[in-house]
Every structure is written in structure tokens, then in C-alpha cells.
Amino acid sequence: MAKKNADDGRQIVANNKKARHDYNIYDTYEAGLALMGTEVKSLRMGRASLVDAFCQFDNRGELWLEHAHIPEYLQGSWTNHSARRRRKLLLHRTELDKIAGKTREAGYTIIPLSLYFVHGKRVKVEIAVARGKREYDKRQTLREKQDNREAQRAMRYRNMRG
């Protein structure tokens, strides 16, 4: 089943954990997702993956979610969907223009960060305009996290003793 976040009414179905590790995130947007009925039922069962997913504009200026894996609904019949089909993202035109302008610059891409239900009704995707990290940037981020963890541990130990 989907995980529940009590603070904002979100039920998270899938997270793209590697996205924050592999990319520097600049802007985030919440987009609706045009789905078939069997896809929604499969998502309600908490089954989805955003591992290889990305977003791309078509020649008409519409934004599409590509390679997101929503498995076929087990009780579905001939109306079942294809697991890796293209899914249209629903955003306002001003947001689409802003994202398109940013991605025209070299190195920027659009990636999905998470897939969730809002108040148990609508399926939303959090997308981000991001730029890929270099290998040394990833090592630097890991080193900073480790240093912060060690500092917190030292402060906690000091507070316990004294």
C-alpha cells in the first residue's frame, strides 16, 4: 500500500531516491498525470517505479512522462494498460513555458522526483528541472553528509556526558 504523509495529505506511491544523488535540483513543480483506470488501480496498490523515468517535450509543446513503470493491474482484462507507456503531464501553459525555457539551456533536464496521491483522490507527480552532477560533486556531497553526521554524533556524546 502507499505510504501516508500526515502533514500535507499526500500518499506517496513511488520516490526517485537516486534523483537527488545524481542531480542538482533547481526548480520543482507539481504536475497532474493523465492516467487510465487500471493505472490508478495499480497505483492504489502501491506499485510503481520511477527509476529510469524522465520528462520530455513533444513537438506540440506538451510535456510527457517517459519510462515510468506502472505494472499492469492484476484483475484487469483486455482494458489493461501497457506498463511503460508515455503519460501526459498536466501543467499550466505558463509553467510549461518556464520549464521549456530553462531546459533549452545546456545541461538541464526534467526528472520526476515522486509520484503520489493528493488527499486520496488525484495522482500527482513532483517534477524537477535539474542538472546532472559530476562524479566529484557526488563524492563531495557524501563527504559533507558524513562530516555533519560525525559532528552531530560528537555533540550528542558531549551533551550526554555533561
Side-chain angles (χ1 to χ4, degrees):
M1 295 308 266
K3 298 175 205 158
K4 194 149 193 140
N5 265 359
D7 54 354
D8 57 358
R10 290 184 180 184
Q11 288 180 307
I12 296 175
V13 178
N15 265 327
N16 192 351
K17 293 178 184 175
K18 284 193 79 170
R20 296 191 190 274
H21 180 263
D22 293 342
Y23 296 94
N24 289 322
I25 309 294
Y26 292 102
D27 289 330
T28 60
Y29 298 91
E30 182 180 70
L33 197 57
L35 297 172
M36 296 173 64
T38 55
E39 289 173 318
V40 176
K41 290 179 180 184
S42 188
L43 287 174
R44 288 204 188 280
M45 293 172 59
R47 305 172 62 215
S49 174
L50 296 174
V51 174
D52 296 326
F54 62 94
C55 300
Q56 188 173 8
F57 281 97
D58 66 357
N59 56 359
R60 295 189 321 190
E62 296 174 340
L63 191 59
W64 294 84
L65 179 64
E66 307 265 354
H67 296 292
H69 186 265
I70 300 175
E72 290 185 355
Y73 182 57
L74 296 176
Q75 285 78 32
S77 60
W78 59 272
T79 59
N80 234 337
H81 63 278
S82 172
R84 288 206 183 262
R85 76 177 187 91
R86 296 175 73 197
R87 294 166 179 95
K88 186 175 180 180
L89 294 175
L90 307 172
L91 288 158
H92 290 283
R93 175 54 51 194
T94 54
E95 292 174 323
L96 287 171
D97 293 341
K98 200 180 295 183
I99 293 169
K102 194 70 170 173
T103 56
R104 281 190 200 104
E105 298 176 26
Y108 285 96
T109 187
I110 310 163
I111 54 169
L113 298 177
S114 62
L115 185 65
Y116 53 90
F117 284 97
V118 177
H119 302 294
K121 295 182 181 184
R122 304 228 183 254
V123 179
K124 301 285 185 177
V125 179
E126 183 179 19
I127 60 172
V129 175
R131 178 178 266 171
K133 285 185 182 178
R134 303 265 195 286
E135 196 63 38
Y136 58 84
D137 290 337
K138 294 177 190 177
R139 286 193 297 266
Q140 181 67 29
T141 303
L142 288 173
R143 194 174 299 120
E144 287 173 5
K145 281 184 182 178
Q146 187 177 5
D147 291 345
N148 287 339
R149 209 176 300 125
E150 288 175 4
Q152 291 294 326
R153 192 177 298 128
M155 289 174 59
R156 189 170 42 236
Y157 180 72
R158 183 175 170 207
N159 289 339
M160 287 172 47
R161 295 190 73 198

